[in-house]
Amino acid sequence: MKQAYFLTGTDTGIGKTFITCALLRRARQLGFAAAGLKPVASGTDAAGRNEDVEAIRAASGVELAREIVNPYCFAAAIAPHLAAAEAGSAIRFAPIIAACQEARQIADFVVVEGVGGFRVPLGADGDSADLAVALGLPLILVVGMRLGCINHALLTAEAIAARGLRLAGWVANRIDPAMARFDANLQTLENLLPAPLLGVVPHAPDDGGGASLNLPEVRRGE
């Protein structure tokens, strides 16, 4: 059965691309033809390449054209709607939806990584939450485990539910290895988030984090 998910996070800089790649590697271990997309990316090197996009392409088991993996890429490492405006461009949903549909025709397991947190402005078509609605995919939430993450995670889960979307699972990414009362915070999140914990990724794992993750369960009709 084919699976596709929209991956979002509690904030920027909390390891969404790392978790996207880990999920892709885990799916490949389980025999899936896996592909990742990062429709909007900001920040490029001298060759015009974005580091996150290249990491996702390397982790995927299905080779897709770069413009399918990443329809919108901007040089400036700033908020995407600002980067698009500076580049004289506009982020539209139609090319992203078309890219996702093409990837789903080829791959068994697709992860579409959002940008920043769940409510990042993109342009006239709406923000990243509106994009998730337009794609119609269940969500995976990456929680960057640090002080304040419980509030951020619960607010994000509420925003996902308010859009009529399903939270299929969440990943605890230990971005702060010195976080006080880590186990207690993790248990609180397990008790309060309305979705299963797919795995806990330690700080800088040797295996890339994939071995510790489970894939979400597929519901009938998805």
Side-chain angles (χ1 to χ4, degrees):
M1 182 178 293
K2 290 182 177 289
Q3 302 180 46
Y5 300 93
F6 186 90
L7 185 139
T8 190
T10 49
D11 201 352
T12 191
I14 48 82
K16 290 191 307 298
T17 299
F18 183 88
I19 300 303
T20 294
C21 292
L23 286 167
L24 293 171
R25 286 190 290 267
R26 181 58 176 155
R28 293 173 64 185
Q29 290 172 359
L30 296 174
F32 288 95
L37 305 183
K38 188 174 179 68
V40 180
S42 298
T44 60
D45 60 17
R49 301 283 177 84
N50 176 268
E51 180 180 6
D52 292 345
V53 172
E54 298 310 307
I56 289 172
R57 295 187 77 222
S60 298
V62 174
E63 186 173 353
L64 298 172
R66 185 173 279 104
E67 58 268 23
I68 298 300
V69 176
N70 175 225
Y72 293 100
C73 189
F74 304 103
I78 57 178
H81 70 296
L82 299 179
E86 288 187 6
S89 180
I91 299 169
R92 311 300 304 203
F93 288 178
I96 298 172
I97 294 169
C100 183
Q101 290 173 341
E102 182 168 340
R104 295 186 70 179
Q105 290 176 357
I106 300 170
D108 302 320
F109 183 87
V110 175
V111 179
V112 181
E113 182 189 327
V115 57
F118 187 57
R119 290 293 316 275
V120 172
L122 296 177
D125 285 355
D127 60 18
S128 56
D130 295 314
L131 176 60
V133 172
L135 292 171
L137 302 178
L139 277 85
I140 296 172
L141 174 64
V142 178
V143 179
M145 297 299 292
R146 62 187 177 200
L147 185 64
C149 68
I150 294 175
N151 176 64
H152 293 162
L154 295 180
L155 286 175
T156 304
E158 284 188 6
I160 290 169
R163 297 291 178 128
L165 298 168
R166 182 173 78 87
L167 182 60
W170 64 283
V171 176
N173 189 21
R174 194 163 187 176
I175 58 174
D176 178 7
M179 181 185 186
R181 310 297 188 272
F182 174 83
D183 291 338
N185 280 277
L186 181 67
Q187 186 61 59
T188 299
L189 284 166
E190 283 195 83
N191 292 340
L192 296 178
L193 281 175
L197 173 63
L198 303 178
V200 178
V201 178
H203 187 72
D206 294 334
D207 68 349
S212 62
L213 297 180
N214 296 312
L215 301 186
E217 291 187 6
V218 179
R219 288 186 176 181
R220 188 178 299 276
E222 290 183 350

